[in-house]
């Protein structure tokens, strides 16, 4: 009896969703490599921007700007996780059986 190739896709959906959450969040939060390699501010990614705010705002104002930039850089990660949250728990626990 032959099975169609797409019969296993519904079983793989939670595992693929959990893996995609981990990969997207790891790539989005990549900090060290862009901080070392990118020299211009126009090419820097969003997680590097709060670190560069330190040189733009001298004095006591810089802490608030850095914290606000960190929150703004983290919001897309939270949004992505909330969208795929229903697939995360079954996908993360499918190897525990």
């Amino acid at each position: 009896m032959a099975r169609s190739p797409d019969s296993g896709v519904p079983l793989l959906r939670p595992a693929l969703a959990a893996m995609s959450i981990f990969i997207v969040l790891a790539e989005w939060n990549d900090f060290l490599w862009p901080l070392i390699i990118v020299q211009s501010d126009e090419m820097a990614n969003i997680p590097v921007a709060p670190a560069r705010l330190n040189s733009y705002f001298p004095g006591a104002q810089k802490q608030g700007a850095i914290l606000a930039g960190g929150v703004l850089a983290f919001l897309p990660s939270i949004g992505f996780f909330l969208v795929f949250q229903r697939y995360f728990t079954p996908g993360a626990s499918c190897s525990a059986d």
Side-chain angles (χ1 to χ4, degrees), residues 43-67:
M43 297 296 291
N45 61 352
I46 293 177
V48 173
R52 297 214 174 161
L53 284 174
N54 195 13
S55 63
Y56 293 139
F57 295 107
Q61 297 175 348
K62 68 180 176 182
Q63 296 299 323
I66 291 172
L67 289 174

Side-chain angles (χ1 to χ4, degrees), residues 35-52:
L35 185 66
I36 293 171
I37 297 299
V38 176
Q39 299 297 323
S40 67
D41 292 336
E42 293 83 22
M43 297 296 291
N45 61 352
I46 293 177
V48 173
R52 297 214 174 161

